[in-house]
Protein backbone atom coordinates (compact mmCIF):
# COMPACT_ATOMS: atom_id res chain seq x y z
CA UNK A 1 0.00 0.00 0.00
CA UNK A 2 1.12 3.50 -0.80
CA UNK A 3 2.10 5.92 1.85
CA UNK A 4 0.24 9.26 1.98
CA UNK A 5 2.20 12.30 0.91
CA UNK A 6 2.31 14.62 3.83
CA UNK A 7 5.28 16.79 3.00
CA UNK A 8 5.82 18.58 -0.34
CA UNK A 9 9.24 19.98 -0.93
CA UNK A 10 9.40 22.92 -3.30
CA UNK A 11 12.60 23.69 -5.01
CA UNK A 12 12.93 27.41 -5.42
CA UNK A 13 15.67 28.22 -7.88
CA UNK A 14 18.27 30.69 -6.83
CA UNK A 15 18.61 33.96 -8.73
CA UNK A 16 21.71 32.56 -10.43
CA UNK A 17 19.78 29.46 -11.59
CA UNK A 18 16.91 31.66 -12.88
CA UNK A 19 19.41 33.76 -14.79
CA UNK A 20 21.00 30.64 -16.28
CA UNK A 21 17.57 29.30 -17.34
CA UNK A 22 16.69 32.64 -18.97
CA UNK A 23 19.98 32.67 -20.88
CA UNK A 24 19.37 29.12 -22.04
CA UNK A 25 15.86 30.03 -23.26
CA UNK A 26 17.26 32.98 -25.23
CA UNK A 27 20.01 30.84 -26.74
CA UNK A 28 17.47 28.19 -27.75
CA UNK A 29 15.28 30.83 -29.42
CA UNK A 30 18.30 32.31 -31.23
CA UNK A 31 19.39 28.91 -32.52
CA UNK A 32 15.87 28.12 -33.75
CA UNK A 33 15.42 31.50 -35.47
CA UNK A 34 18.95 32.37 -36.51
CA UNK A 35 18.07 33.05 -40.18
CA UNK A 36 15.28 35.47 -39.25
CA UNK A 37 17.57 37.24 -36.79
CA UNK A 38 20.31 37.59 -39.39
CA UNK A 39 17.81 39.10 -41.83
CA UNK A 40 16.53 41.46 -39.14
CA UNK A 41 20.08 42.55 -38.31
CA UNK A 42 20.74 43.20 -42.00
CA UNK A 43 17.60 45.36 -42.20
CA UNK A 44 18.63 47.29 -39.09
CA UNK A 45 22.12 47.79 -40.56
CA UNK A 46 20.62 49.26 -43.76
CA UNK A 47 18.28 51.50 -41.74
CA UNK A 48 21.26 52.75 -39.76
CA UNK A 49 23.25 53.38 -42.94
CA UNK A 50 20.56 55.60 -44.46
CA UNK A 51 19.88 57.44 -41.19
CA UNK A 52 16.38 56.17 -40.44
CA UNK A 53 17.34 54.90 -36.99
CA UNK A 54 18.80 58.30 -36.06
CA UNK A 55 15.56 59.97 -37.13
CA UNK A 56 13.48 57.47 -35.12
CA UNK A 57 15.71 57.89 -32.08
CA UNK A 58 15.41 61.67 -32.28
CA UNK A 59 11.64 61.44 -32.72
CA UNK A 60 11.33 59.15 -29.69
CA UNK A 61 13.51 61.39 -27.54
CA UNK A 62 11.47 64.46 -28.56
CA UNK A 63 8.07 62.77 -28.66
CA UNK A 64 6.48 65.27 -26.30
CA UNK A 65 7.52 68.29 -28.37
CA UNK A 66 6.48 66.53 -31.59
CA UNK A 67 3.11 65.67 -30.06
CA UNK A 68 2.53 69.29 -29.04
CA UNK A 69 3.36 70.47 -32.58
CA UNK A 70 1.11 67.81 -34.13
CA UNK A 71 -1.83 68.70 -31.91
CA UNK A 72 -1.39 72.40 -32.63
CA UNK A 73 -1.36 71.64 -36.37
CA UNK A 74 -4.50 69.50 -36.08
CA UNK A 75 -6.27 72.31 -34.24
CA UNK A 76 -5.82 74.82 -37.07
CA UNK A 77 -9.16 75.86 -38.61
CA UNK A 78 -8.73 74.30 -42.05
CA UNK A 79 -7.19 71.05 -40.84
CA UNK A 80 -10.55 69.49 -39.93
CA UNK A 81 -11.78 70.10 -43.47
CA UNK A 82 -8.58 68.65 -44.91
CA UNK A 83 -8.92 65.50 -42.83
CA UNK A 84 -12.60 65.08 -43.71
CA UNK A 85 -11.87 65.71 -47.41
CA UNK A 86 -9.06 63.18 -47.25
CA UNK A 87 -11.38 60.57 -45.78
CA UNK A 88 -14.02 61.35 -48.41
CA UNK A 89 -11.39 61.04 -51.14
CA UNK A 90 -10.31 57.64 -49.82
CA UNK A 91 -13.93 56.45 -49.74
CA UNK A 92 -14.42 57.69 -53.30
CA UNK A 93 -11.24 55.94 -54.48
CA UNK A 94 -12.48 52.75 -52.83
CA UNK A 95 -15.66 52.87 -54.92
CA UNK A 96 -13.83 53.16 -58.24
CA UNK A 97 -13.13 49.95 -60.14
CA UNK A 98 -9.35 49.89 -60.71
CA UNK A 99 -9.55 48.78 -64.35
CA UNK A 100 -11.94 51.58 -65.29
CA UNK A 101 -9.88 54.16 -63.44
CA UNK A 102 -6.74 52.92 -65.21
CA UNK A 103 -8.46 53.32 -68.60
CA UNK A 104 -9.53 56.86 -67.73
CA UNK A 105 -6.07 57.81 -66.45
CA UNK A 106 -4.44 56.39 -69.59
CA UNK A 107 -6.84 58.44 -71.71
CA UNK A 108 -6.05 61.57 -69.69
CA UNK A 109 -2.34 60.89 -70.16
CA UNK A 110 -2.80 60.62 -73.93
CA UNK A 111 -4.81 63.85 -73.88
CA UNK A 112 -2.08 65.65 -71.96
CA UNK A 113 0.52 64.36 -74.43
CA UNK A 114 -1.54 65.78 -77.28
CA UNK A 115 -2.11 69.02 -75.38
CA UNK A 116 1.60 69.57 -74.86
CA UNK A 117 2.51 68.56 -78.41
CA UNK A 118 4.47 71.56 -79.73
CA UNK A 119 4.19 70.57 -83.40
CA UNK A 120 0.57 71.79 -83.69
CA UNK A 121 1.02 75.31 -82.37
CA UNK A 122 -1.03 77.06 -85.02
CA UNK A 123 -4.42 78.28 -83.76
CA UNK A 124 -7.49 76.32 -84.82
CA UNK A 125 -10.21 78.31 -86.51
CA UNK A 126 -13.94 77.73 -86.55
CA UNK A 127 -13.68 75.62 -89.72
CA UNK A 128 -10.90 73.52 -88.15
CA UNK A 129 -13.03 72.91 -85.07
CA UNK A 130 -16.03 71.82 -87.10
CA UNK A 131 -13.77 69.51 -89.14
CA UNK A 132 -12.31 68.09 -85.89
CA UNK A 133 -15.83 67.35 -84.63
CA UNK A 134 -16.09 64.69 -87.34
CA UNK A 135 -12.97 62.78 -86.21
CA UNK A 136 -13.82 59.45 -84.50
CA UNK A 137 -11.54 60.10 -81.51
CA UNK A 138 -13.09 63.52 -80.90
CA UNK A 139 -16.61 62.09 -81.24
CA UNK A 140 -15.72 59.35 -78.73
CA UNK A 141 -14.23 61.82 -76.24
CA UNK A 142 -17.14 64.26 -76.55
CA UNK A 143 -19.66 61.45 -76.14
CA UNK A 144 -17.81 60.24 -73.05
CA UNK A 145 -17.77 63.76 -71.62
CA UNK A 146 -21.50 64.20 -72.26
CA UNK A 147 -22.22 60.85 -70.55
CA UNK A 148 -20.03 61.98 -67.65
CA UNK A 149 -21.97 65.24 -67.40
CA UNK A 150 -25.29 63.36 -67.52
CA UNK A 151 -24.18 61.08 -64.71
CA UNK A 152 -22.88 64.00 -62.71
CA UNK A 153 -26.23 65.78 -63.16
CA UNK A 154 -28.10 62.69 -62.00
CA UNK A 155 -25.87 62.51 -58.95
CA UNK A 156 -26.45 66.18 -58.19
CA UNK A 157 -30.21 65.73 -58.54
CA UNK A 158 -30.27 62.75 -56.17
CA UNK A 159 -28.13 64.68 -53.68
CA UNK A 160 -30.59 67.61 -53.84
CA UNK A 161 -33.48 65.26 -53.07
CA UNK A 162 -31.62 63.75 -50.11
CA UNK A 163 -30.64 67.14 -48.65
CA UNK A 164 -34.04 68.84 -49.03
Amino acid sequence: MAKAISNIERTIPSPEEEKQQAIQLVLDAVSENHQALLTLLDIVKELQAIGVLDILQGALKNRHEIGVIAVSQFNKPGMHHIMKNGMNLMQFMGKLPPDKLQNILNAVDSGIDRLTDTENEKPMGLFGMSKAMMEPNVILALGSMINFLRGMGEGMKSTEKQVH
Side-chain angles (χ1 to χ4, degrees):
M1 205 154 188
K3 187 178 177 185
I5 299 174
S6 59
N7 188 12
I8 300 174
E9 288 185 30
R10 280 193 187 168
T11 56
I12 300 174
S14 68
E16 187 61 37
E17 290 173 338
E18 286 180 359
K19 186 176 179 181
Q20 194 63 29
Q21 287 175 352
I23 290 172
Q24 190 58 44
L25 285 172
V26 169
L27 289 175
D28 291 344
V30 167
S31 68
E32 289 174 16
N33 301 300
H34 71 280
Q35 190 59 44
L37 287 171
L38 290 173
T39 302
L40 180 66
L41 288 173
D42 188 45
I43 291 170
V44 170
K45 179 182 172 185
E46 293 297 324
L47 291 173
Q48 179 65 36
I50 61 174
V52 171
L53 292 182
D54 294 331
I55 293 169
L56 286 175
Q57 184 180 25
L60 289 173
K61 285 184 179 181
N62 298 306
R63 64 187 173 272
H64 179 71
E65 292 84 2
I66 292 172
V68 169
I69 292 169
V71 168
S72 69
Q73 291 298 316
F74 284 134
N75 284 332
K76 287 188 175 180
M79 187 57 70
H80 300 287
H81 293 290
I82 290 173
M83 290 170 51
K84 189 167 183 175
N85 289 340
M87 288 188 293
N88 287 337
L89 178 64
M90 295 309 256
Q91 288 175 349
F92 172 72
M93 294 298 286
K95 292 178 187 177
L96 294 176
D99 54 337
K100 289 182 181 179
L101 181 62
Q102 186 63 44
N103 290 342
I104 292 169
L105 293 176
N106 288 339
V108 169
D109 184 42
S110 296
I112 290 173
D113 285 343
R114 183 62 70 97
L115 174 71
T116 58
D117 187 10
T118 56
E119 293 175 14
N120 300 331
E121 288 196 26
K122 57 184 175 185
M124 184 181 288
L126 195 54
F127 180 71
M129 283 190 220
S130 62
K131 186 178 173 185
M133 296 292 274
M134 302 312 256
E135 293 178 19
N137 290 336
V138 174
I139 292 171
L140 177 63
L142 285 173
S144 297
M145 290 177 74
I146 289 172
N147 284 332
F148 169 76
L149 292 173
R150 283 181 181 147
M152 188 173 169
E154 290 170 3
M156 292 171 75
K157 234 184 233 182
S158 69
T159 303
E160 281 180 8
K161 289 178 183 175
Q162 290 174 359
V163 172
H164 299 296

